[in-house]
Amino acid sequence: MTQPLERVRVPSAQSETMTDQHGRSINYLRLSITDRCNLRCLYCRSCEGLKMLPHDQMLSYEECLELIAVASTLNISKVRLTGGEPFIRKNFLHFLERILDAHPQLDMRLTTNATLLGGKIPALKKIGIKGLNISLDTLDRAKFQRITGRDFFLPVRGAIDQCLDYGLRIKINVVAMKGINDDELAAFIRLAENQPLDVRFIEFMPVGEKTVWRPDQVWTSREILQQAQEVVQLKPVTESGKRNGPARMFEIVGGKGRIGVISPMSSHFCGQCNRLRITPDGRLRTCLFSDKEYRLRPILRSSKLGREHLRRVIIRAGKIKPMGHEILAAQGRQGSVCRKIMSAIGG
Ligand SMILES: Nc1nc2c(ncn2[C@@H]2O[C@H](COP(=O)(O)OP(=O)(O)OP(=O)(O)O)[C@@H](O)[C@H]2O)c(=O)[nH]1
Ligand SMILES: C[S@@+](CC[C@H](N)C(=O)[O-])C[C@H]1O[C@@H](n2cnc3c(N)ncnc32)[C@H](O)[C@@H]1O
Ligand code: SF4
Ligand code: SF4
C-alpha cells in the first residue's frame, strides 16, 4: 500500500542517497528518450494504431540533461538510456557526448535493438561508451521478421560482430518465449561459447493492456537453466560486493562468454530493486509494473519551480516505491500487470 506523498518526510541535504520505505537504495535511473521504434516486437508493441507522443510532450535533450543533473545530486550513479529505440532520435550521439561531458563519472549505459548501429560504432567508442545491451530474440532471419515485423536480422547480427571487433562489451537480451524461441537455446549457448559476450534470457512479462502474453508462453529461468545444463557445463558467477542487477549469470566452462537469466515472473528481485524510470514525456515511474507515475515535465518547464522542487518530488516518490511482485500477484495470472506498453516505459 502506498502512502500519500505529502506525509513522507524529505531531508533537505544537498547530496544524499535515496532509500525507500523498504530500505532499498536507489542509485539507477532508466531514462527512456522516445516512445518511437522502427520494430514491432510482438511482446512489446505489436498492436496496430499505436498513438505516439506529440513532439512537444517529449522531454527535450536539455530537459533530460537537467534531470540527469538532479539525479546525480541524489547519488544516482548509473543511467541507462532506452526507448522505444534510442538511436531513432535525432542527434542522439551528440546527446551522449553532452551527458558524458557534464558527468564524466557517470556509469552511462544504452539498451538498443541495434538496427541503426551500423557505421556508428567507432563514434560510440570515441564518445566513451564501453558496452551495449542489444535485444535479439532469435538467430534465424525469417523468425526475426516474424517476431519484430521487420527484416533487419542481418544489420543487427553485423552490428554485434562490429561491436565485438571494436572491443565493446555486449549483453544480448533474449525475451524467452515458449513456442517461439525455446528451440534456439543451444544456438544461443553456442554464440556465448564462441564469442566474448553475455546472452541473457528474460522471462516474458505481461506488460501493456493489449499484450499478447499468455501464461503458457513463459519459458521460465528454471527451465532454461535445466535445459542449458544438458548442453554445457555452467558455473555460477558469484558477485563480489554489491549486487549488479536482476540478472543471474553463469560462465560456460571452456567458453568465451556467459549466459544468464532475468526472472521477473518466477523469482522476483524486487527486494533488491535499485531503479527509477523516466518515460519520454517526463513521468517518473517508480516501478515497471505500476502505472502510478509522477509528472516531472511541468516542473521542468515551470519558470517558478526550481531544481530543489524537482529533487523533492523525486525523493518523495522514490520513498514510496512499490514492490512490483505484489502488483503482479494481485493481478492474477491472466491479464497484463500494467496498462502502459514497454516501448513507452523503456523496459
Ligand atoms: N520486472 C523488472 N524487469 C526488469 C527490471 N530491470 C530490467 N528488467 C528486464 O530486463 C530487461 C533487460 O534490461 P536492460 O535494459 O538490459 O538493463 P539491465 O538488466 O538493468 O542491464 P544491466 O544494468 O546491464 O544489468 C529489461 O528490458 C526488462 O525486461 C526491473 O527492475 N524489473
Ligand atoms: C522496451 S526495449 C527498449 C530498447 C530497445 N528498443 C531494445 O529493444 O533493446 C527494452 C527491453 O525490453 C524488453 N522487453 C520488451 N517487452 C518485454 C516483455 N513483454 N517481457 C520481457 N522483456 C521485454 C526488450 O527485450 C528489450 O530488451
Ligand atoms: S523491444 Fe525495443 S525494439 Fe522491440 S518493439 Fe520494443 S522498443 Fe522496439
Ligand atoms: S517489478 Fe518493480 S520493484 Fe520489482 S524489480 Fe521491477 S521495477 Fe523493481
Side-chain angles (χ1 to χ4, degrees):
M1 278 288 105
T2 54
Q3 283 174 264
L5 277 184
E6 55 277 12
R7 278 203 236 132
V8 180
R9 285 232 177 134
V10 178
S12 59
Q14 274 309 298
S15 177
E16 62 203 85
T17 302
M18 275 195 285
T19 307
D20 78 355
Q21 59 185 353
H22 302 289
R24 298 175 293 185
S25 299
I26 299 170
N27 56 16
Y28 174 8
L29 179 70
R30 298 177 67 97
L31 178 59
S32 175
I33 61 160
T34 180
D35 59 340
R36 288 160 170 77
C37 187
N38 54 346
L39 299 186
R40 298 286 177 274
C41 301
L42 59 88
Y43 49 77
C44 174
R45 69 194 298 269
S46 60
C47 25
E48 286 306 317
L50 280 178
K51 270 205 191 139
M52 296 293 103
L53 286 169
H55 283 286
D56 64 340
Q57 287 184 22
M58 300 211 329
L59 293 188
S60 66
Y61 283 150
E62 279 64 31
E63 288 163 345
C64 292
L65 283 163
E66 174 65 7
L67 266 176
I68 294 172
V70 168
S72 71
T73 70
L74 295 170
N75 288 334
I76 297 237
S77 53
K78 176 168 167 179
V79 173
R80 177 171 299 285
L81 300 176
T82 174
E85 176 45 42
F87 282 89
I88 222 165
R89 189 146 170 193
K90 267 192 206 151
N91 299 325
F92 180 55
L93 292 185
H94 184 51
F95 175 53
L96 296 178
E97 248 178 319
R98 290 178 67 192
I99 297 175
L100 284 178
D101 278 353
H103 306 280
Q105 306 306 325
L106 188 68
D107 181 359
M108 191 176 71
R109 313 281 184 109
L110 307 175
T111 301
T112 174
N113 63 28
T115 54
L116 303 169
L117 276 187
K120 298 193 179 79
I121 293 158
L124 283 172
K125 182 89 185 170
K126 198 159 160 235
I127 290 169
I129 302 297
K130 297 191 178 63
L132 294 170
N133 291 11
I134 293 179
S135 302
L136 179 66
D137 310 301
T138 175
L139 297 170
D140 177 87
R141 181 176 171 182
K143 198 193 285 186
F144 183 96
Q145 183 160 6
R146 286 201 297 280
I147 294 175
T148 68
R150 301 288 184 269
D151 181 22
F152 289 155
F153 175 75
L154 294 178
V156 172
R157 196 60 196 83
I160 292 171
D161 285 341
Q162 212 191 345
C163 287
L164 293 172
D165 289 345
Y166 275 84
L168 287 180
R169 200 166 154 49
I170 297 301
K171 296 181 190 174
I172 300 208
N173 285 337
V174 182
V175 179
M177 295 168 287
K178 273 192 186 155
I180 294 179
N181 56 4
D182 55 341
D183 56 339
E184 291 195 66
L185 180 61
F188 274 112
I189 291 174
R190 293 291 164 236
L191 177 68
E193 206 173 12
N194 296 327
Q195 302 282 358
L197 48 72
D198 288 351
V199 173
R200 308 184 309 170
F201 296 90
I202 308 166
E203 285 175 349
F204 187 6
M205 289 178 264
V207 170
E209 66 184 334
K210 290 188 184 149
T211 182
V212 299
W213 181 92
R214 290 197 324 260
D216 58 309
Q217 284 178 316
V218 179
W219 182 19
T220 65
S221 299
R222 179 197 284 259
E223 290 167 325
I224 291 169
L225 291 175
Q226 264 169 8
Q227 291 159 16
Q229 269 151 348
E230 289 163 17
V231 182
V232 277
Q233 206 184 328
L234 297 177
K235 193 166 151 237
V237 176
T238 45
E239 300 277 349
S240 58
K242 63 179 185 212
R243 196 185 153 95
N244 277 326
R248 279 183 288 145
M249 297 306 302
F250 299 82
E251 278 170 21
I252 299 175
V253 175
K256 292 182 180 165
R258 313 186 299 179
I259 68 160
V261 287
I262 300 180
S263 326
M265 300 301 292
S266 64
S267 77
H268 47 79
F269 34 78
C270 304
Q272 285 91 41
C273 184
N274 61 348
R275 48 200 66 189
L276 297 178
R277 292 171 165 81
I278 307 273
T279 62
D281 53 346
R283 288 164 187 256
L284 171 65
R285 196 173 168 105
T286 55
C287 171
L288 173 61
F289 288 164
S290 169
D291 281 318
K292 173 135 188 67
E293 295 177 338
Y294 304 84
R295 296 188 310 137
L296 304 184
R297 195 184 68 218
I299 308 175
L300 282 161
R301 293 191 181 169
S302 158
S303 55
K304 295 203 187 89
L305 304 169
R307 201 176 260 203
E308 189 51 31
H309 188 87
L310 191 58
R311 285 179 89 245
R312 283 171 173 269
V313 171
I314 296 173
I315 294 171
R316 284 185 177 139
K319 215 37 177 194
I320 53 174
K321 180 176 154 62
M323 286 283 193
H325 68 87
E326 290 173 1
I327 304 171
L328 185 66
Q331 207 67 13
R333 292 281 295 155
Q334 294 305 318
S336 56
V337 63
C338 58
R339 296 183 62 203
K340 196 165 257 187
I341 60 174
M342 271 290 207
S343 59
I345 304 173

